Each structure stands twice: as C-alpha cells, then as structure tokens.
C-alpha cells in the first residue's frame, strides 16, 4: 500500500458559504476524526487530495497529514469523499485517523490475470465480483487482489475460499461465493441438442 502526504489547515469557520468560498479557491472542506480525538474541521488542497488517492490504491492509500497543529504527522485514510455529479470536483472529504496496529476493513478491487482455458474452448468469462471486502492491518492493505483464471474450465468457478492472500489479510464474505466463473459452450451445446431433438 502506498503512503501519500497532504497538507491541511484547521478551519475556524464552517458553513455552506465558507465551504463554497473554499472550493472556489481550490480547497476542499473536510473533517478529521477517529478514536481518541474530537472531530476537527479542516481544509485540504484539491490537487493534493487528487494526487493522494491516485493510482491503484485509490482511497485505501495511507495519508500522512502535514500542518494542522496537533494533526501534523497523523496517518489517515479517506473514509468518505463526495464529488459533484457533473463537474467531478470534490465537494467534501472525511479523513479517518487510523491506528497502524489495529485492523481495518477495506474495499479492494479484483485484478483478473491470465486467459482461462474455458475461454479458449469458447466459453465466456463472468467476473462476478469486481471488488472484495478485506480485513487487515493498514500497512497490509493490498492495491488489488490478483485472481489467476488460467486453469479455469467451462462450468467452473473460483470462490472466495479459493483465494490466496498474504498472511494477516482476511477476505470477508461467504467462502462459497463465486468471484469469477466460466459460462457458455456447455450450456449452448445442451440447448442445441434439445432443439435438435424437438
């Protein structure tokens, strides 16, 4: 997991008017909260925020805060991020203070690699889960979970319980739930045989 840095300023004033003015100046109104601290209203530079969540890790990137008095040096993660529907600009951000020694639950994308044997036989790859919920220490958060489908045949699936993850990383959900499956040729042949019989 990547470590990023953003500079922040504590906001003395809050409200919609202040927030609009802040966004017009290239800032993003936000709040820093977490165990052991009172929520603190802050402003974040929009460009720095965009850079901090860029790349594979996205919103799971660990972020070190610079400035903000007592918040300086604190490690946070983006807990919530609101964007304008049309412009795509940031409206507000919630930064959650994290304990590097305490496990967190995160949403991580799935990266499918390889060409499935079933696809070569005419089957169709069905990616059922494009992301997974994981539980691990903040320093163990993977950028993605790689799923190798090379040996996957028609009519077969890779389930949550089949995934191999790094030590200390736990996938959440039903172990029997399918992550990827191969459909197609077997069903088509069966339908074709039925039609021929009729």
């Amino acid at each position: 997991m990547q470590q990023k840095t953003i500079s922040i300023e504590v906001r003395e004033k809050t409200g919609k008017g202040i927030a609009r003015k802040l966004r017009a100046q290239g800032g993003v109104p936000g709040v820093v909260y977490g165990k052991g601290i009172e929520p603190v209203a802050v402003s974040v530079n929009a460009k720095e925020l965009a850079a901090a969540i860029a790349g594979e890790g996205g919103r799971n990137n660990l972020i070190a805060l610079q400035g903000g008095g007592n918040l300086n040096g604190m490690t946070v993660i983006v807990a919530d991020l609101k964007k304008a529907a049309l412009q795509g600009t940031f409206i507000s951000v919630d930064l959650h203070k994290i304990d590097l020694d305490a496990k967190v639950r995160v949403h991580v994308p799935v990266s499918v690699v390889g060409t499935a044997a079933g696809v070569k036989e005419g089957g169709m790859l069905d990616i059922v889960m494009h992301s997974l919920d994981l539980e691990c220490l903040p320093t163990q958060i993977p950028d993605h979970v790689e799923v190798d489908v090379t040996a996957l045949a028609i009519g077969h699936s890779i389930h949550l319980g089949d995934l191999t993850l790094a030590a200390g990383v736990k996938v959440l959900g039903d172990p029997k739930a399918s992550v990827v499956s191969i459909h197609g040729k077997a069903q088509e042949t069966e339908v074709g045989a039925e039609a021929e019989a009729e």
Side-chain angles (χ1 to χ4, degrees):
M1 181 52 56
Q2 302 178 55
Q3 173 90 41
K4 301 295 182 77
T5 301
I6 59 173
S7 54
I8 63 167
E9 293 181 8
V10 174
R11 287 187 294 141
E12 300 297 335
K13 297 180 181 180
T14 59
K16 290 184 178 179
I18 298 295
R20 277 196 297 270
K21 185 177 180 181
L22 180 62
R23 286 192 286 269
Q25 297 171 344
V28 182
V31 62
V32 178
Y33 68 94
K35 187 176 180 181
I37 65 168
E38 291 292 326
V40 181
V42 299
S43 64
V44 180
N45 181 279
K47 290 183 179 179
E48 287 188 15
L49 178 59
I53 60 175
E56 265 196 311
R59 286 171 49 173
N60 290 329
N61 285 336
L62 301 181
I63 301 172
L65 301 182
Q66 285 187 340
N70 293 335
L71 302 178
N72 188 54
M74 185 178 290
T75 301
V76 300
I77 198 167
V78 174
D80 190 34
L81 182 63
K82 291 182 173 62
K83 288 185 176 182
L86 297 177
Q87 300 92 336
T89 53
F90 299 132
I91 295 175
S92 65
V93 62
D94 289 357
L95 301 172
H96 183 215
K97 174 195 171 188
I98 57 173
D99 180 351
L100 296 178
D101 297 319
K103 291 187 176 182
V104 295
R105 292 189 175 190
V106 292
H107 212 52
V108 175
V110 167
S111 175
V112 175
V113 297
T115 300
V119 169
K120 293 179 180 179
E121 296 169 1
M124 185 167 57
L125 179 69
D126 179 17
I127 303 176
V128 182
M129 296 185 185
H130 291 273
S131 60
L132 304 173
D133 290 317
L134 305 180
E135 183 179 73
C136 60
L137 292 174
T139 53
Q140 295 176 316
I141 301 173
D143 288 334
H144 61 266
V145 174
E146 192 171 280
V147 180
D148 188 347
V149 298
T150 306
L152 199 59
I154 291 174
H156 291 261
S157 301
I158 294 176
H159 305 94
L160 285 180
D162 300 326
L163 300 178
T164 301
L165 302 172
V169 180
K170 177 184 177 184
V171 64
L172 304 175
D174 183 356
K176 295 180 181 178
S178 295
V179 179
V180 293
S181 302
I182 300 291
H183 303 292
K185 188 176 179 181
Q187 290 86 340
E188 290 170 7
T189 302
E190 192 175 312
V191 171
E194 289 176 2
E196 192 174 319
E198 291 177 3

